[in-house]
Amino acid sequence: MKTFKKFLRSGLGVFGGVIILSLILMAIFAHQLAPFDPNAQDYNAILLPPGGEHFFGTDDLGRDIFSRVVYGAQISIKAALLSVGIAILIGVPIGLLAGYFGGFWDEWVVMRSVDAMQAFPFLILALAIAAVLGNGFGNAMIAIGIGFAPAFIRITRGQVLQLRNMEYIHAAKATGVKDLRIIFSHILPNALNPIIIQATLAMASGILAEASLSYLGLGVQPPTPSWGSMLNQAQTIMTESPYATIFPGMAIFLVVLGFNLLGDGLQQTFDPRIRK
């Protein structure tokens, strides 16, 4: 309860949480919120400007842009959860084991591999992996998740290196508690705060990466509504119908901003050096 009250006093963190909650509600109730089928084509309503029954206008196939933006929220939520979930499943166990046991595998295999992967810009690495795996939303999520994994390995390992020499860990070893139980029952719970913060910030990058891969044709495939693919399809009509790019672009901007603000708020909440 004290932690929650501290978060409520974070200001911008709460604002970010409201944006993310709005995104989640929009994704859940997309069927009720969208006035049209997002894939329905109306050749009598091509490139209509915003207004009337088409709040955000229509695209070059007569599809309602507002409905597609609303349904695109579902893809963004899936992208955030799946990509970060894959990264956590890969990165956290490796970081726990490498940091706890140390030795050759930690220094020369795990950490050198992490250094090699982080030497590449994240989006370039995800793009290369997605190109190898092939087009499609699932492959894009795997590519983004693999790209995120090194950050989770490094953060988790750093926490383990701090915690493994604590007195309660030595006491657990002295009483005969097995290593795996120490790792997952004693160390992991105390290392969760920075992992949660990293996960929140990574969700923003995950949504941005999914939009980028979809824009390049390696993510969600048409006609499924995705904010990135909407930008790709609208680039040819951008000069005559700029609203077709403005609304999905603003959706990406707001959601990424929301996750970043939420991550900053959580960081202030969990940081013991910040007292409010």
Side-chain angles (χ1 to χ4, degrees):
M1 183 59 69
K2 185 183 293 185
T3 301
F4 181 68
K5 289 181 179 179
K6 187 177 180 181
F7 173 74
L8 290 179
R9 291 193 292 268
S10 65
L12 290 176
V14 175
F15 179 63
V18 170
I19 294 177
I20 301 309
L21 179 61
S22 301
L23 172 72
I24 294 172
L25 292 176
M26 186 166 67
I28 293 174
F29 298 104
H31 185 70
Q32 288 76 22
L33 291 174
F36 298 94
D37 182 333
N39 296 321
Q41 301 178 12
D42 184 357
Y43 294 108
N44 294 318
I46 291 177
L47 297 181
L48 291 180
E53 60 181 2
H54 299 286
F55 307 135
F56 290 175
T58 60
D59 62 11
D60 55 343
L61 295 177
R63 298 174 296 190
D64 183 64
I65 294 176
F66 176 76
S67 298
R68 291 180 65 77
V69 169
V70 169
Y71 273 90
Q74 296 180 338
I75 296 296
S76 293
I77 288 293
K78 291 178 183 178
L81 295 177
L82 289 176
S83 62
V84 174
I86 291 171
I88 289 174
L89 289 176
I90 296 173
V92 172
I94 293 176
L96 286 170
L97 296 174
Y100 185 81
F101 292 108
F104 173 81
W105 287 99
D106 172 38
E107 289 293 335
W108 294 102
V109 177
V110 174
M111 294 313 298
R112 298 295 76 77
S113 299
V114 167
D115 291 341
M117 293 180 70
Q118 291 190 320
F120 295 92
F122 162 73
L123 190 57
I124 299 299
L125 179 62
L127 180 63
I129 297 172
V132 171
L133 294 176
N135 299 344
F137 180 73
N139 289 337
M141 293 304 98
I142 294 173
I144 297 170
I146 293 174
F148 281 151
F152 284 94
I153 293 173
R154 191 177 290 278
I155 288 175
T156 305
R157 175 181 178 271
Q159 289 298 302
V160 175
L161 291 177
Q162 294 179 14
L163 294 170
R164 70 180 184 180
N165 292 320
M166 301 293 287
E167 292 183 0
Y168 72 95
I169 299 298
H170 292 302
K173 290 181 179 179
T175 57
V177 179
K178 294 183 178 180
D179 288 332
L180 288 181
R181 184 175 178 183
I182 291 176
I183 292 172
F184 291 102
S185 297
H186 298 284
I187 292 180
L188 179 59
N190 291 288
L192 282 179
N193 287 353
I195 295 174
I196 292 173
I197 294 169
Q198 176 63 27
T200 305
L201 297 174
M203 286 182 181
S205 299
I207 290 174
L208 194 59
E210 181 277 323
S212 300
L213 292 180
S214 295
Y215 176 82
L216 295 172
L218 293 172
V220 175
Q221 299 299 301
T224 303
S226 162
W227 297 337
S229 62
M230 289 176 67
L231 290 174
N232 177 281
Q233 295 161 22
Q235 63 182 340
T236 57
I237 57 171
M238 187 167 55
T239 54
E240 54 184 310
S241 303
Y243 56 84
T245 58
I246 290 174
F247 292 115
M250 284 298 298
I252 295 171
F253 167 76
L254 287 174
V255 172
V256 171
L257 175 66
F259 273 114
N260 283 328
L261 292 178
L262 179 60
D264 290 341
L266 291 175
Q267 188 170 18
Q268 294 177 18
T269 301
F270 291 137
D271 192 339
R273 296 170 296 180
I274 301 176
R275 299 183 182 275
K276 290 186 179 182

